[in-house]
């Protein structure tokens, strides 16, 4: 099939010659699915048009996409600022795209890879458990930030940079137990979460077990699946509901700082004093927690370091076309007035 012509490609794909030409020259007036089918046929046949070979090579593109799961999360804002600096050092451009709740990580990326001729992708957040087997559809290198991937399939190029969410969650709850707390409520993600939220929940349970503190299901609160992920609003509503049912707890751990800030508002509205009546702690280390009164104890993720490592990993994979071992960075337990 090495001598195929543009007419052969058109016939194989069931389209006109002009459609193949537009696809090869990256015209915008063609459906992404049609463009994908044509380019796949071209690649499999080794057909290279005279003046369009450069358009088939993604290596000519110098654009990176940053796909953000929670675009309004200030934790990611810090990372994006650092990534911008590091990407521009490499003389590349980038753009940011939001992934809505329920949107598939692979599907979201495949479409923009084909439209923008990307060199690579950086994910900020996300849940890859249900799409691991489809990662090979990504034909460019990718890095997942704050997400630990179980493995990288052999036929794709990827990596991750994160912390050990379960270990750090256990460390924080272990600290609360050592402070004498036996009734520790947790504001968790929804029950279907199989990624970060699940890991932080496991850390909570492990710490209780290690300190011989019985798990009280009444104090385990899950976020509604319809609510914004890890938001102040969800933390506020979860705490309001908990307080209506029981106040038999002396500490509250939320799996994100935004959630604990919302929970603090609900506690204060109900006349609870922090930390005299209820100690509170969060996770992530966003700046708001330091300036909240009282300042909030939290696990501080090394946001800037994660961002730099992610960009470094991505460009190494772009150069080598080989996956890179994932990296797990240490976090810090920041003890403040709220506990």
């Amino acid at each position: 099939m090495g001598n195929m012509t543009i007419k052969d490609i058109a016939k194989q794909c069931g389209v006109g010659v002009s459609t193949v030409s537009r696809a090869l020259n990256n015209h915008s007036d063609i459906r992404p699915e049609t463009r994908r089918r044509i380019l796949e046929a071209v690649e499999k046949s080794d057909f290279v048009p005279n003046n369009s070979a450069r358009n088939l090579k993604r290596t000519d593109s110098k654009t990176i996409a940053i796909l953000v799961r929670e675009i309004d999360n200030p934790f990611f804002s810090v990372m994006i600022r650092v990534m911008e600096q590091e990407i521009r050092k490499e003389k590349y451009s980038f753009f940011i795209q939001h992934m809505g709740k329920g949107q598939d990580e692979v599907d979201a990326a495949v479409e923009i890879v084909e439209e923008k001729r990307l060199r690579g992708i950086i994910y900020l957040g996300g849940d890859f458990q249900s799409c691991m087997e489809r990662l090979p559809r990504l034909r460019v290198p990718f890095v997942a930030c704050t997400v630990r991937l179980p493995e990288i399939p052999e036929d794709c190029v990827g990596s991750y940079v994160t912390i050990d969410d379960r270990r750090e969650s256990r460390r924080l709850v272990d600290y609360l137990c050592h402070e004498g707390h036996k009734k520790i409520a947790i504001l968790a993600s929804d029950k279907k979460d199989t990624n970060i939220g699940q890991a932080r929940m496991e850390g909570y349970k492990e710490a209780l077990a290690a300190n011989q503190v019985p798990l009280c299901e009444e104090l385990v609160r899950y976020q509604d699946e319809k609510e914004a992920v890890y938001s102040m609003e969800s933390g506020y509503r979860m705490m309001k509901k908990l307080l209506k049912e029981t106040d038999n707890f002396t500490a509250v751990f939320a799996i994100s700082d935004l959630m604990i800030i919302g929970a603090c508002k609900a506690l204060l509205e109900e006349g609870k004093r922090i930390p005299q009546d209820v100690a509170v702690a969060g996770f992530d280390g966003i700046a708001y927690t330091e300036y909240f009164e009282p300042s909030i104890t939290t696990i501080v993720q090394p946001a800037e370091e994660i961002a730099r490592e992610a960009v470094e990993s991505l460009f190494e994979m772009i150069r080598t076309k080989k996956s890179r071992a994932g990296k797990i960075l240490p976090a810090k337990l920041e003890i403040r007035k709220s506990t």
Side-chain angles (χ1 to χ4, degrees):
M1 298 181 68
N3 295 321
M4 286 185 72
T5 67
I6 193 170
K7 291 182 179 180
D8 296 323
I9 296 295
K11 183 177 180 180
Q12 180 178 326
C13 296
V15 299
V17 171
S18 62
T19 301
V20 175
S21 178
R22 291 200 305 275
L24 295 176
N25 288 284
N26 203 27
H27 283 243
S28 59
D29 59 341
I30 182 172
R31 294 193 308 167
E33 175 60 26
T34 302
R35 179 185 292 110
R36 181 193 62 77
R37 193 168 72 250
I38 291 170
L39 294 180
E40 284 185 352
V42 168
E43 291 176 1
K44 289 178 181 178
S45 68
D46 294 326
F47 164 76
V48 179
N50 292 338
N51 297 317
S52 300
R54 65 182 182 276
N55 292 327
L56 291 176
K57 296 180 181 179
R58 288 191 172 92
T59 54
D60 286 342
S61 171
K62 300 194 74 173
T63 304
I64 304 298
I66 300 177
L67 301 187
V68 190
R69 174 60 72 187
E70 304 157 52
I71 199 164
D72 55 351
N73 191 328
F75 174 68
F76 287 146
S77 299
V78 173
M79 298 178 68
I80 290 172
R81 185 187 71 244
V82 174
M83 287 176 178
E84 177 181 9
Q85 296 170 352
E86 298 301 312
I87 290 172
R88 294 200 186 283
K89 286 180 183 178
E90 298 282 345
K91 309 300 182 184
Y92 274 60
S93 61
F94 78 100
F95 67 94
I96 301 167
Q97 182 156 317
H98 176 238
M99 289 189 297
K101 186 173 183 179
Q103 188 175 11
D104 183 273
E105 281 72 13
V106 173
D107 290 344
V110 166
E111 183 173 348
I112 61 172
V113 166
E114 294 171 351
E115 289 181 354
K116 305 293 185 180
R117 298 289 187 179
L118 299 178
R119 288 290 304 277
I121 294 173
I122 298 176
Y123 287 98
L124 294 186
D127 188 346
F128 294 81
Q129 296 298 323
S130 62
C131 63
M132 287 298 298
E133 73 282 357
R134 292 185 293 111
L135 282 177
R137 290 182 60 198
L138 295 180
R139 297 187 174 184
V140 297
F142 67 92
V143 180
C145 289
T146 73
V147 178
R148 186 173 183 175
L149 303 182
E151 61 181 354
I152 304 295
E154 291 184 3
D155 42 358
C156 66
V157 179
S159 187
Y160 63 86
V161 185
T162 187
I163 64 169
D164 189 327
D165 289 278
R166 182 170 64 179
R167 181 181 64 197
E168 300 300 345
S169 175
R170 173 172 175 166
R171 176 156 64 135
L172 190 148
V173 178
D174 187 64
Y175 157 74
L176 293 175
C177 291
H178 287 173
E179 288 294 298
H181 296 285
K182 303 296 183 184
K183 297 289 186 179
I184 304 172
I186 181 170
L187 306 184
S189 58
D190 66 70
K191 292 182 178 181
K192 292 183 179 180
D193 189 339
T194 59
N195 201 4
I196 295 172
Q198 182 184 65
R200 295 179 186 179
M201 170 63 80
E202 290 172 353
Y204 164 81
K205 292 179 177 180
E206 288 177 1
L208 294 184
N211 288 277
Q212 290 80 51
V213 175
L215 174 66
C216 179
E217 293 293 347
E218 184 183 33
L219 300 182
V220 176
R221 296 293 156 146
Y222 293 97
Q223 180 177 315
D224 190 295
E225 293 178 25
K226 298 179 181 179
E227 290 183 311
V229 180
Y230 305 153
S231 67
M232 287 186 280
E233 293 82 4
S234 65
Y236 176 82
R237 285 193 287 269
M238 293 165 75
M239 180 52 65
K240 278 287 191 180
K241 185 176 181 181
L242 176 61
L243 288 168
K244 283 183 180 179
E245 298 177 12
T246 181
D247 63 355
N248 186 27
F249 54 90
T250 62
V252 179
F253 165 48
I255 65 167
S256 86
D257 285 339
L258 291 178
M259 291 170 72
I260 202 62
I261 290 172
C264 285
K265 177 177 172 62
L267 286 166
L268 296 172
E269 285 181 354
E270 297 298 321
K272 300 293 185 181
R273 298 171 301 164
I274 303 171
Q276 294 90 338
D277 299 323
V278 181
V280 301
F283 200 115
D284 283 336
I286 65 173
Y288 298 164
T289 57
E290 185 176 358
Y291 292 97
F292 191 86
E293 185 56 41
S295 56
I296 298 174
T297 293
T298 184
I299 291 291
V300 180
Q301 295 201 60
E304 295 188 3
E305 187 178 356
I306 290 174
R308 290 192 184 93
E309 286 284 348
V311 175
E312 179 184 329
S313 291
L314 184 64
F315 280 106
E316 179 179 318
M317 291 188 295
I318 289 173
R319 288 188 287 267
T320 66
K321 296 180 174 58
K322 295 180 180 179
S323 292
R324 189 178 185 186
K327 193 159 189 176
I328 299 177
L329 302 176
K332 177 183 179 183
L333 172 59
E334 190 71 46
I335 300 171
R336 298 185 178 135
K337 294 179 182 178
S338 69
T339 54

